[in-house]
Structures are given as structure tokens and as C-alpha cells.
Amino acid sequence: MPADFMESLAAAQLSAALAEHGMALRGGFRVTAADDLPDPAPGRQARALLLVGNVGGAMWPAFAAARDGGTGANPMDNWTRRVIDPIAGQVGALALYPFVGPPYFPFQRWAMRAEAVAPSPLMILIHPVHGLWHAYRAALVLADDCDLAPVPAAPIPCETCADRPCLRACPVAAFTATGFADRTCASHVDGPNGGDCREGGCLARRACPVGQDLAYPPAQMAFHMEAFLSRRR
Ligand code: B12
Ligand code: SF4
Ligand code: SF4
């Protein structure tokens, strides 16, 4: 039995089930009492949390083929539940989702404990290889002890990126010292000059040189932007 759960047969089987839907296992960590997570099964406390996510455009074809005909609200969230709940059931896990809230589960804090990601100036977590082209879709909470190795140290791209092109690319300077001005962003994207962001995705995110080969396909960019706008209209 390998020391690290991520190297185990169970992790390989889970990864294979997720890969059928273009998703991937994104690491995990041992849960502490401070995490205050719900019990994964009656009388059984949470011991480990595994993160599920998407990297690059891998998930888009699976979602596009299975979505609710484009008519239902939150089609990606609904599809995610449809594919993840049965996988969680197979491994005896409780599935938690980033879109359930408020209050929301702290997925970005969990991600920083699960894999080598760090905050970027755009607030999205940056990964040394995937850049800004990844997200989290679910967490699987297990009652079993998993040997999860600590996250290995990895370079944080933003620390050596002197030019910070991401911060110069937004036409309305929506990334401010106090945070992301989401309403400034949304009114630009929804307006007459917002076509580039609306159809091709956030210009600031696209300006980052890390992982550019993993940029989402245009249809996925437009889908996420429309979902963002629909929450801000
Ligand atoms: C609410 C929310 C938003 C709000 C932010 C409002 C606000 N100022 O709080 C809005 C609607 C603006 C937003 C927009 C976007 N979001 Co958002 N959002 C969330 C959500 C659902 C909850 C955040 C939260 O309150 N968490 C609770 C706290 C307690 O968790 P935490 O981890 O401790 O807190 C961190 C975040 O709150 C973060 N933060 C604070 N303000 C903002 C603002 C933005 C824009 C982001 C990305 C993060 C962020 O800083 C904290 C420390 O790291 C998370 C999912 C989740 N459950 O976390 C996604 C999440 C943060 N969003 C994400 C993304 C990708 C986006 C978008 C870039 C694209 C999109 N899907 O729409 C857009 C930006 C729009 C654009 N023009 O491109 C991803 C980030 C992935 C990553 N690599 O890090 C997440 C994790 C969802 C996911 N499925 O993976 N988002
Ligand atoms: S452009 Fe540079 S500072 Fe901005 S997210 Fe990418 S690596 Fe980080
Ligand atoms: S989507 Fe466009 S307006 Fe909004 S933050 Fe990105 S570059 Fe700025």
C-alpha cells in the first residue's frame, strides 16, 4: 500500500471515474476539528477531504454533450451534481459543492491546503502549470483516514512576474487595491464595448503567460461570463 493516498489504487479509480466527465482529483488534506465539516455518514466523522476540479478545456466537451438543453438555470451546477453524487456514493463520501451558499464553503482555502496553488492579483488561485485555467467543482468528504502527503513546495508564478500583465489588461481597471470591482466589470462586459470579454473571456485572465495552452475554449469562456453576468444583472 503506497504511503500517499494520491498514489493509491483507490485514487486511480476515483481519477478514472472523474476523467469520464473531464474532471480530475486535485489533491486533498486531513481534516481537523476546526474545519467543522458535516459528518459523511451517520455517526462517522470527517477525516479527509479530496478536491475535484477541472483543468484547461478538458471538462467542456463532457458538459456540452450532457447539459440541460441550455434552458435550465445553473446548468453546470446541476450537471456537476448529477455526475459527482453517484461517484461520491461509490466511495462512501459526502459531496460538497462550491456553488451552495451563502454561506459558501471555503474552496479556495481548501485548495491551498490540497495542492500547490496561491492567490494571484486577480484573486483566482494560480497553479504553477495550469496558470489561471482551472477551477473546483466539488469536495469529497471521507470518514476514512487517508495518508495525504503535505503539498510539495512549488514556485508561485506571480512572485517572479515583474510585469504583471494581468493588472494592465482590464479596460476598466476592475482589479483594485481593495478587491475585485465586480459591478464595474459586469457593467463593462454587459455594455457596448464588452464584446471581447463577453465572447472571448476576461482579458486580464487571458493576459497571464502561465498555462496559456490550457486556456478554456471560447464557448466555455462565453458560458462562464454569461453565468457571471446573470448573477450581477
Ligand atoms: C461569491 C463568488 C464570486 C463572487 C465574488 C463576490 C465577492 N466579492 O465575494 C463573483 C460573482 C463576483 C465571482 C466571480 C467570479 N468567480 Co467566483 N466564486 C464565488 C464563490 C461561490 C464563493 C466565494 C466565497 O465567498 N467563499 C467563501 C470564503 C469563506 O471562502 P475562502 O476560500 O476562504 O475565501 C476566498 C474567496 O472569497 C476569495 N475572494 C474574495 N473575493 C473574491 C472575488 C473573486 C472574483 C474571486 C475569484 C475570489 C474572491 O478570497 C478568499 C481567500 O482566498 C467561490 C466558490 C467558493 N465556495 O469559494 C467562487 C470562486 C472563488 N470563483 C471562481 C471564479 C473562477 C470566478 C470567475 C473568475 C469566473 C466565474 N466562474 O464566474 C468570476 C470573475 C468574473 C470575471 N469577470 O471573470 C473560482 C476560483 C477558482 C480558482 N482558480 O481560484 C471559485 C473558487 C469557484 C470554483 N468553482 O472554482 N465569484
Ligand atoms: S500575469 Fe503574472 S502576476 Fe498576473 S496572474 Fe499571471 S503570473 Fe501572476
Ligand atoms: S472580464 Fe473584462 S472588464 Fe471584467 S475584469 Fe476581466 S478584463 Fe476587466
Side-chain angles (χ1 to χ4, degrees), residues 2-213:
D4 182 358
F5 172 81
M6 299 306 285
E7 306 291 326
S8 70
L9 181 60
Q13 287 169 340
L14 194 48
S15 294
L18 295 170
E20 280 184 35
H21 309 288
M23 297 189 210
L25 204 50
R26 306 283 306 271
F29 56 86
R30 282 172 185 240
V31 166
T32 71
D35 288 310
D36 195 22
L37 290 173
D39 292 347
R44 301 203 63 205
Q45 290 184 339
R47 306 296 287 266
L49 184 148
L50 305 176
L51 274 185
V52 173
N54 61 285
V55 174
M59 189 183 73
W60 183 253
F63 166 69
R67 66 186 289 182
D68 305 330
T71 52
N74 306 318
M76 186 172 278
D77 299 348
N78 297 340
W79 171 74
T80 302
R81 280 186 190 277
R82 283 207 306 277
V83 301
I84 295 297
D85 280 346
I87 293 174
Q90 281 162 23
V91 296
L94 171 70
L96 303 178
Y97 294 100
F99 47 80
V100 172
Y104 295 105
F105 288 109
F107 267 77
Q108 289 188 307
R109 251 183 288 163
W110 289 348
M112 288 186 273
R113 291 162 69 187
E115 62 172 348
V117 290
S120 71
L122 307 186
M123 276 121 162
I124 309 169
L125 299 175
I126 191 159
H127 183 279
V129 176
H130 315 322
L132 303 173
W133 302 109
H134 65 103
Y136 302 95
R137 297 291 151 205
L140 302 177
V141 181
L142 293 160
D144 300 322
D145 269 324
C146 294
D147 278 318
L148 287 155
V151 179
I156 299 173
C158 304
E159 284 182 356
T160 49
C161 177
D163 288 349
R164 303 211 151 192
C166 59
L167 287 178
R168 285 185 278 109
C170 174
V172 291
F175 300 97
T176 71
T178 51
F180 175 52
D182 56 310
R183 290 187 185 279
T184 306
C185 163
S187 49
H188 171 76
V189 177
D190 223 3
N193 301 320
D196 202 355
C197 297
R198 198 165 56 239
E199 309 302 331
C202 174
L203 289 165
R205 204 172 175 183
R206 283 154 63 192
C208 176
V210 185
Q212 283 205 335
D213 54 327

